[in-house]
Amino acid sequence: MISQYQESLLLPGRTYQSGPVDTTYEDVLENIDSGIMLFDEEGVISFVNKQMYGMLELTRHSLVGCTISHLLSNVRLSRFKKKQVLQSYREMVYKGKSNYEFLDEYGRYWKVTLCCGEQMKGCYLFTVKEISDYKLIEQTAYQNDSLAMLGKLSASIAHEIRNPLTAIRGFIQLLHPHLQQLGKQEYGKIILAEIDRANDIIHEFLTSSKPSVPQVGMIPVSALLKEVVLLTESEALMKGCQINLHPFQEDMMISGDVKQMKQVVLNLIRNAMEAVADRADGLMGKIEVGAHREGSEVRMFISDNGKGMDIRTLDMLFSPFFTTKENGTGLGLSVSDRIIKNHGGCISVSSRVNEGTHFVISLPLIH
């Protein structure tokens, strides 16, 4: 019995099994959720599954038999995809990396993995898989870790910052009679108001995971924007940009915490000043500030002609601790977004690289 089995292994008739086995493997590869592309030892594409040619938005027929050069010269392959194919090839084949991650034009994360070497007998196997969900989990974990670290640091930071602010506030109050004699008492009032606002910002920083309840009052929109523009005009001139406050067509009132509202608008204007200062072409920076009625809402806008933002930055813009600044905390827009939401409104943003950014704060009007 055993001898018959051994003899059967040598029979040429077993070659018929290779067909169904290969087909089965191909069926498996066709139906997995990763894109697969196989280059043979001569650098020619010998296999590609439907996930892969679907990602590239090409047909199997147009890919099989091509080299990487032919693939990159395919007129039907989009410019963005050509760039990512070339970058993946460079990072993994030339630089020897085993995997490469990138963000596509729709904001999705992808991971490319390369398998080669002796086990592949000179072939190169590329697999591509979407990892957006994994990235989201990773970012959430990072934010949680950052919040925990912030909680440990906040107690010591608060004491060290608030002490000098208290001293400055006391000396400004002592100087008030002298400022009054010089007719500059308004400067003293602005300094005191800014110190109080700084204390409030520190408090908001320390409670960033749980913003304070707004101290609701009636706020004239025109007065709010005029005061913030007045505070930032000198800083804007020093940075070589101009702030234009658009005239108001009518008196508009909103309900909310005036300090928090001022914090939001001031943060957006200062972000705009930094975006304008970062332009490489030396163009005169312009920041447009204004407001208008839109149905039952007021729309306050802050626009600039700065460097703009790409899709990836826009997607992460309001995430805690996300920042593109070298010394930024990544809390400014996150806190601003929550302040506006606590007031029953929302912040929207549109931007184009090297053209500028347009923020709109929408809040309910008080009639």
Side-chain angles (χ1 to χ4, degrees), residues 142-153:
Y142 173 76
Q143 288 176 8
N144 290 339
D145 289 343
S146 300
L147 284 169
M149 186 181 297
L150 177 65
K152 293 177 182 178
L153 293 173

Side-chain angles (χ1 to χ4, degrees), residues 90-350:
R90 283 175 177 170
E91 291 291 324
M92 302 171 75
V93 176
Y94 290 136
K95 295 184 180 180
K97 296 181 179 179
S98 60
N99 57 74
Y100 169 68
E101 295 180 7
F102 67 91
L103 186 72
D104 70 10
E105 65 268 47
Y106 305 109
R108 297 174 300 187
Y109 287 92
W110 298 86
K111 182 176 182 178
V112 187
T113 305
L114 171 63
C115 183
C116 59
E118 294 182 1
Q119 71 272 23
M120 293 300 299
K121 299 179 180 178
C123 297
Y124 287 81
L125 177 66
F126 290 89
T127 60
V128 183
K129 183 178 180 65
E130 185 179 355
I131 56 169
S132 300
D133 291 340
Y134 299 106
K135 282 291 181 182
L136 181 60
I137 294 170
E138 186 180 273
Q139 289 164 5
T140 303
Y142 173 76
Q143 288 176 8
N144 290 339
D145 289 343
S146 300
L147 284 169
M149 186 181 297
L150 177 65
K152 293 177 182 178
L153 293 173
S154 60
S156 58
I157 292 173
H159 185 69
E160 295 301 324
I161 295 178
R162 280 177 172 162
N163 277 350
L165 287 177
T166 303
I168 294 168
R169 197 179 201 288
F171 281 113
I172 290 297
Q173 288 175 323
L174 289 174
L175 289 172
H176 183 72
H178 302 286
L179 292 173
Q180 197 167 12
Q181 288 177 3
L182 295 171
K184 304 294 184 181
Q185 63 269 25
E186 286 299 318
Y187 290 172
K189 289 181 180 178
I190 290 175
I191 293 171
L192 289 173
E194 288 304 292
I195 290 171
D196 290 340
R197 192 175 63 81
N199 273 314
D200 291 338
I201 291 172
I202 292 170
H203 176 72
E204 196 66 49
F205 178 81
L206 300 178
T207 58
S208 58
S209 60
K210 187 180 179 182
S212 57
V213 178
Q215 302 298 312
V216 179
M218 302 291 284
I219 307 172
V221 174
S222 59
L224 171 68
L225 295 182
K226 284 176 183 176
E227 186 175 352
V228 176
V229 169
L230 180 65
L231 284 169
T232 53
E233 270 182 331
S234 58
E235 186 180 349
L237 290 172
M238 289 172 61
K239 292 187 176 181
C241 62
Q242 178 182 351
I243 301 178
N244 299 320
L245 180 62
H246 290 226
F248 300 94
Q249 297 178 350
E250 57 180 311
D251 292 331
M252 293 173 285
M253 300 287 290
I254 57 175
S255 175
D257 188 315
V258 66
K259 290 181 180 179
Q260 291 187 1
M261 286 293 110
K262 189 192 294 187
Q263 177 184 344
V264 171
V265 178
L266 191 57
N267 185 42
L268 293 179
I269 291 179
R270 283 185 171 153
N271 283 349
M273 286 192 285
E274 291 177 3
V276 167
D278 287 342
R279 283 195 70 112
D281 54 13
L283 185 71
M284 174 66 178
K286 289 186 179 180
I287 300 171
E288 308 292 334
V289 181
H292 62 270
R293 179 192 293 266
E294 190 78 31
S296 60
E297 292 184 331
V298 60
R299 304 282 171 87
M300 293 181 279
F301 62 86
I302 296 95
S303 301
D304 65 71
N305 63 343
K307 63 177 182 178
M309 294 177 283
D310 56 24
I311 296 174
R312 180 182 181 182
T313 304
L314 284 172
D315 287 343
M316 298 292 295
L317 200 58
F318 297 105
S319 299
F321 307 105
F322 174 79
T323 180
T324 57
K325 304 173 189 175
E326 186 177 349
N327 298 314
T329 63
L331 286 171
L333 286 174
S334 173
V335 171
S336 296
D337 185 48
R338 271 184 283 181
I339 286 173
I340 296 302
K341 285 179 178 176
N342 286 346
H343 285 77
C346 65
I347 303 178
S348 59
V349 57
S350 57

Side-chain angles (χ1 to χ4, degrees), residues 56-106:
L56 297 174
E57 297 178 345
L58 298 173
T59 63
R60 190 199 306 271
H61 177 73
S62 65
L63 289 169
V64 175
C66 290
T67 62
I68 189 70
S69 299
H70 293 145
L71 175 60
L72 293 173
S73 62
N74 192 317
V75 294
R76 294 186 178 180
L77 188 65
S78 71
R79 184 177 178 182
F80 181 86
K81 288 183 172 63
K82 285 180 181 179
K83 179 181 176 182
Q84 291 304 330
V85 169
L86 182 59
Q87 187 65 25
S88 300
Y89 196 81
R90 283 175 177 170
E91 291 291 324
M92 302 171 75
V93 176
Y94 290 136
K95 295 184 180 180
K97 296 181 179 179
S98 60
N99 57 74
Y100 169 68
E101 295 180 7
F102 67 91
L103 186 72
D104 70 10
E105 65 268 47
Y106 305 109

